[in-house]
Amino acid sequence: MARRHWIVLSGPFAMALFLLGCLIGAWFINRPGVAPAAGVALALAAAWAGWRWLDWRCDLWAITSQRVIDEAGVLSVRVVDSPLDKIHNVSCSQSLLGRMLGYGTLNIQTAAEAGSTTIEKVARPMELKETILGRQQDGRYRAADDRYTAAGGFHPAADRRAGPQDAGGAANDTRECPFCAEKIKARAKVCRFCGRDV
């Protein structure tokens, strides 16, 4: 889950705090007409800050094992799904202030119907980018594993990790993990799919 950085809330809340100070000052100087005007301005600024907070709260991104979900909207909801296998490029840009405070802009280019998704002032953009690319890579490995398992073979990366002594192993050199039912090496002590000790 990811949201915009708190910097997007700083303007409305700073304005509301400033007008609150003005209202308190007007109360102490006891000048007619100043306190009501400051009170009205404070009410408008508080409503603006509240709306901006609701918008920030409802504007989020979720990264699953299959897709990146962009959900936004307070009164009406807009949801954009970007399948991981359709994502071509993920780029991240950060200004100097963004690097100091930990926010930036993320652009996701896809071959899906939405085309491109831009996430502005998102918190921890580099971490979000690495998470998307990592999930995308995991999805490719899972798809390759499924194809090789269906064909009765092994995943090439798994064969390389297994070592030279197992490179030419036959189909009977595997067994089924008792926890996730995936095919693993017969001599494996930890399942590479679910991570449990076998």
Side-chain angles (χ1 to χ4, degrees), residues 1-3 60-71 80-85 87 90 106 108 119 122-139 142:
M1 299 285 289
R3 282 192 172 88
L60 56 91
W61 294 268
I63 304 171
T64 70
S65 60
Q66 302 292 328
R67 58 184 55 87
V68 177
I69 303 170
D70 178 7
E71 183 176 327
V80 177
D81 286 356
S82 301
L84 288 175
D85 57 351
I87 293 177
V90 182
L106 201 71
I108 303 172
I119 309 172
V122 66
R124 305 187 308 274
M126 292 301 296
E127 181 180 332
L128 187 59
K129 175 185 175 183
E130 294 300 325
T131 302
I132 293 173
L133 295 177
R135 293 288 175 89
Q136 191 179 37
Q137 191 77 1
D138 290 344
R142 276 196 302 272

Side-chain angles (χ1 to χ4, degrees), residues 11-182:
F13 279 89
M15 178 65 73
L17 289 175
F18 172 75
L19 291 173
L20 178 61
C22 291
L23 179 61
I24 294 172
W27 181 272
F28 279 110
I29 63 175
N30 198 18
R31 295 187 62 180
V34 176
V40 171
L42 176 60
L44 292 174
W48 179 37
W51 177 262
R52 182 64 70 88
W53 181 83
L54 281 174
D55 183 57
W56 173 84
R57 188 80 175 81
C58 297
D59 193 5
L60 56 91
W61 294 268
I63 304 171
T64 70
S65 60
Q66 302 292 328
R67 58 184 55 87
V68 177
I69 303 170
D70 178 7
E71 183 176 327
V74 178
L75 300 179
S76 60
V77 180
R78 175 189 62 86
V79 180
V80 177
D81 286 356
S82 301
L84 288 175
D85 57 351
K86 301 291 185 182
I87 293 177
H88 292 318
N89 187 35
V90 182
S91 59
C92 173
S93 61
Q94 286 182 284
S95 63
L96 179 60
L97 184 61
R99 292 184 66 184
M100 293 170 61
L101 297 179
Y103 71 87
T105 299
L106 201 71
N107 181 264
I108 303 172
Q109 296 177 358
T110 70
E113 197 172 311
S116 178
T117 301
T118 301
I119 309 172
E120 296 182 354
K121 290 186 173 63
V122 66
R124 305 187 308 274
M126 292 301 296
E127 181 180 332
L128 187 59
K129 175 185 175 183
E130 294 300 325
T131 302
I132 293 173
L133 295 177
R135 293 288 175 89
Q136 191 179 37
Q137 191 77 1
D138 290 344
R140 288 172 180 164
Y141 281 144
R142 276 196 302 272
D145 282 341
D146 291 343
R147 286 195 299 270
Y148 277 92
T149 302
F154 303 101
H155 191 284
D159 289 338
R160 286 196 296 272
R161 288 193 299 267
Q165 66 273 17
D166 295 334
N172 59 6
D173 195 26
T174 63
R175 61 183 170 129
E176 191 176 273
C177 174
F179 299 102
C180 65
E182 292 286 352

